[in-house]
Amino acid sequence: MTTTLPKLSVSDGVATIRLARPDAGNAVDLPTAIALRDAVEGISEALDEIHVVVLRADGRLFCAGGDVRAMAAAPDRPAFVAELAGVLHDALDTLRALPVPVVAVVQGTAAGAGVGLVLAADVVLAADHATFVAAYPSVGLSPDCGVSALLPAAVGARRAALFLLTGTPVDAATALDWGLVTEVCPAETLDARAGEVVAAIAALPRQAVGEAARLLRRSGERPYAAQLADEAATIARLSATAEAGALLASFAPAPAHPTPGDSP
């Protein structure tokens, strides 16, 4: 039987988490949320092997959000929704804390929690027919998965309000203009373009790009002085690594050697 839980695979330094409930629009039910959290925790335990994380999905939709059928059927709905959101939030919090770049490849609609997954990524590549929609108002719910925190930072407060308060879908071109996605390309070239971007990230020094991604995520969450302190501590720590030492030496000019007859 084919699994419908998120799949984690690691190859050549690339960890891919793939949503795999295409018949349900990759909607997130509790088993999916738990599997997603487990996948992220698995990545956190293997950081020495991983240069970049890729979020992908099977089927026509990227992610339809939380599984509203499961919510509607829950005997204790508030308890179920709290648990579902809590597990998802643990996964996203762990993901954004990783010193590893995260790339999302959006082949179709991202709604509700799916927008939260998009916002959790550092680089977002979208197919030209992809759409983005809050979805929360249509089922009488408020945002989760960090949408209310990260969306204003990505697109601005006014656009975030329009998006969340009206529930109006945003097409890929508009998402690019707003800054919700990094790049839009034809659907038939999306996989190839994603491969190029991931390869470019993976080719760079792992710790350097990983810490850059982590610092970028923290930049809007704390005072400037705290960010400067973290930058100073991080660059000093990286300067002690063998990789940085070799690269710094390759850029430094070789010391001049005195020749016979030179003055001391």
Side-chain angles (χ1 to χ4, degrees):
M1 180 182 295
T2 302
T3 180
T4 59
L5 296 178
K7 306 169 186 176
L8 171 63
S9 61
V10 179
S11 177
D12 297 328
V14 179
T16 300
I17 299 175
R18 184 180 291 274
L19 301 180
R21 294 188 74 202
D23 293 342
N26 294 310
V28 182
D29 58 3
L30 190 56
T32 298
I34 292 170
L36 180 63
R37 182 185 62 187
D38 291 346
V40 175
E41 289 176 352
I43 291 170
S44 71
E45 295 168 1
L47 290 179
D48 289 346
E49 306 170 19
I50 294 171
H51 289 247
V52 58
V53 175
V54 181
L55 302 178
R56 306 193 64 127
D58 291 338
R60 186 173 58 87
L61 306 184
F62 177 73
C63 177
D67 191 327
V68 295
R69 291 184 179 179
M71 295 179 198
D76 186 341
R77 189 174 303 143
F80 175 80
V81 173
E83 183 179 12
L84 178 61
V87 173
L88 270 174
H89 291 181
D90 286 345
L92 292 172
D93 189 44
T94 301
L95 179 66
R96 284 182 56 79
L98 296 178
V100 181
V102 179
V103 177
V105 184
V106 183
Q107 88 288 6
T109 297
V115 176
L117 290 174
V118 168
L119 290 165
D122 303 300
V123 177
V124 182
L125 307 174
D128 53 6
H129 64 260
T131 57
F132 304 83
V133 60
Y136 300 104
S138 64
V139 290
L141 298 177
S142 56
D144 65 349
C145 294
V147 172
S148 65
L150 299 180
L151 186 65
V155 308
R158 299 301 186 193
R159 286 170 170 168
L162 181 69
F163 183 79
L164 288 175
L165 303 183
T166 68
T168 303
V170 169
D171 62 21
T174 303
L176 179 63
D177 180 59
W178 284 12
L180 181 57
V181 305
T182 308
E183 188 174 317
V184 172
C185 58
E188 61 270 18
T189 64
L190 180 63
D191 287 344
R193 180 56 183 151
E196 292 172 355
V197 171
V198 169
I201 294 172
L204 293 173
R206 177 182 60 81
Q207 290 177 285
V209 295
E211 292 295 348
R214 182 188 66 80
L215 286 166
L216 283 169
R217 295 176 201 138
R218 295 302 308 276
S219 64
E221 302 172 358
R222 56 187 176 180
Y224 181 56
Q227 185 74 4
L228 287 177
D230 194 351
E231 285 186 346
T234 302
I235 196 171
R237 175 166 47 83
L238 290 182
S239 73
T241 64
E243 186 171 48
L247 290 169
L248 288 168
S250 71
F251 279 91
H257 297 286
T259 57
D262 284 347
S263 298

